[in-house]
């Protein structure tokens, strides 16, 4: 079976795009970022292209918004209404990784959130966590929200070094079917560093 997942994070700045690059390379997957808000010249799509090269298959964003703000604000400023019905998975038979914007409750409009898009696409979820003060709370809220809407949490990513005390609490709240992915920290955000770090990825099952 082909691997097709929706990758989200416990918040903004936790490393969704670098995690995407690792997993795209690991799974030889295609990439789709449905909503890009801000910095279109150096977008997440452009970042993964630079890290993985021309062989990466990339599907164009559904919405490309110019203002570096929440998608609902950017869209409103440009006179755009983000329509949930407009989102359809690319017609593709291979491995695919879909990257969300920010965390689960980033608004797409006054009434729609990234979580609604996740439900719409109905893919198994990859949740990216990073260690910072408050990450336990953000991780557990994200895990519960995913469970509450009936989506499958297939993988939880620990991106970079993690405080063992925080990791233990998060692990206890993960469904037993969820696998853990440990990603190394990159010294530099380059294709060469990504390739060098690939052997240090760990994938584990819960005890």
């Amino acid at each position: 079976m082909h691997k097709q997942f929706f990758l989200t994070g416990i918040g903004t700045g936790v490393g969704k795009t670098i995690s995407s690059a690792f997993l795209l390379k690991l799974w030889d997957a295609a990439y789709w970022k449905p909503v890009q808000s801000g910095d279109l010249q150096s977008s997440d799509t452009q970042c993964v292209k630079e890290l993985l090269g021309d062989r990466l298959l990339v599907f164009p964003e559904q919405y490309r918004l110019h203002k570096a703000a929440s998608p609902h604000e950017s869209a409103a400023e440009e006179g755009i209404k983000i329509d949930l019905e407009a989102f359809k998975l690319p017609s593709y038979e291979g491995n695919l990784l879909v990257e969300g914007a920010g965390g689960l409750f980033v608004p797409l409009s006054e009434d729609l959130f990234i979580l609604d898009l996740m439900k719409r696409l109905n893919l198994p979820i990859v949740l990216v966590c990073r260690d910072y003060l408050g990450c336990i709370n953000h991780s557990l809220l994200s895990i519960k929200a995913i469970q509450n809407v009936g989506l499958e949490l297939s993988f939880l990513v620990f991106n970079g070094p993690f405080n063992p005390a925080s990791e233990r609490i998060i692990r206890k709240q993960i469904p037993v079917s969820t696998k853990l992915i440990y990603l190394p920290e990159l010294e530099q955000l380059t294709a060469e560093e990504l390739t060098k770090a690939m052997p240090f990825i760990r994938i584990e099952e819960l005890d």
Side-chain angles (χ1 to χ4, degrees), residues 1 36 44 69 76-77 105 147-148 171 179 185 188 201:
M1 288 181 62
Q36 176 68 45
D44 295 338
E77 188 164 296
F105 286 97
Q147 291 176 315
N148 285 345
R171 285 176 63 119
K179 293 183 180 179
E185 191 85 354
Q188 295 179 311
I201 297 174

Side-chain angles (χ1 to χ4, degrees), residues 28 127 159 181:
D28 189 24
L127 178 65
N159 182 28
I181 300 177

Side-chain angles (χ1 to χ4, degrees), residues 113-131:
F113 301 89
I114 288 291
L115 187 59
D116 295 300
L117 175 57
M118 292 162 59
K119 289 161 56 181
R120 161 84 176 166
L121 299 179
N122 196 32
L123 294 176
I125 305 303
V126 178
L127 178 65
V128 178
C129 303
R130 191 165 181 85
D131 193 18

